Amino acid sequence: MDTSLKKTLIVGATEKAGRYANLAAYRLLRHGFDIALVGLKEGQIEGRPIQVGQPALEDIDTVTMYVGPQNQPPLYEYIKRLKPRRVIFNPGAENPEFERQLKAEGIEPIEACTLVMLSVGTY
């Protein structure tokens, strides 16, 4: 699989070391995936900008969520417009309401941990 064609959007990205979204960014890059980053504060990870708001992005294959379900509703339409193949709901981000909406749009919702998926080769 050519991972360079599989861009992942990390929602909830942060420069704070030790946060799972930060670890995921580094591990995705180490595994050869291209990433886009959206967070609450601007910054950067490995030279890639953390953007705020709902930036125009293209060719997003996977969205990995590090935002709790209570903060997800403003992102519903944005993520659906990106038309990713799948959305990974990391522990603490599970959201049955949004998962149902994604399924209705033909987008696969997955309740899993991006870090575990990478470590066992199922990403």
Side-chain angles (χ1 to χ4, degrees):
M1 171 174 62
D2 183 1
T3 57
S4 65
L5 301 177
K6 306 285 186 186
K7 187 185 290 185
T8 298
L9 170 60
I10 299 173
V11 177
T14 177
E15 289 183 313
K16 292 181 183 175
R19 300 293 299 256
Y20 290 120
N22 182 279
L23 292 169
Y26 283 99
R27 294 218 183 125
L28 284 162
L29 289 169
R30 197 165 40 238
H31 279 83
F33 291 92
D34 191 10
I35 62 172
L37 307 165
V38 171
L40 291 175
K41 292 201 283 191
E42 290 183 350
Q44 67 172 359
I45 296 174
E46 289 291 304
R48 288 164 173 79
I50 298 173
Q51 300 178 74
V52 296
Q54 299 182 1
L57 299 170
E58 294 183 0
D59 302 320
I60 299 296
D61 176 75
T62 301
V63 173
T64 185
M65 298 288 289
Y66 288 96
V67 173
Q70 69 280 6
N71 296 316
Q72 292 175 18
L75 299 168
Y76 290 177
E77 294 306 314
Y78 172 64
I79 290 172
K80 288 188 280 187
R81 278 193 312 271
L82 294 174
K83 299 192 183 310
R85 178 175 56 91
R86 62 186 180 168
V87 175
I88 300 170
F89 291 87
N90 288 277
E94 300 92 339
N95 183 341
E97 174 190 357
F98 190 26
E99 292 174 35
R100 280 190 296 277
Q101 290 183 30
L102 292 169
K103 281 183 188 174
E105 297 281 330
I107 300 167
E108 180 184 14
I110 300 171
E111 290 185 3
C113 175
T114 296
L115 297 171
V116 171
M117 291 174 74
L118 286 166
S119 70
V120 299
T122 59
Y123 190 81

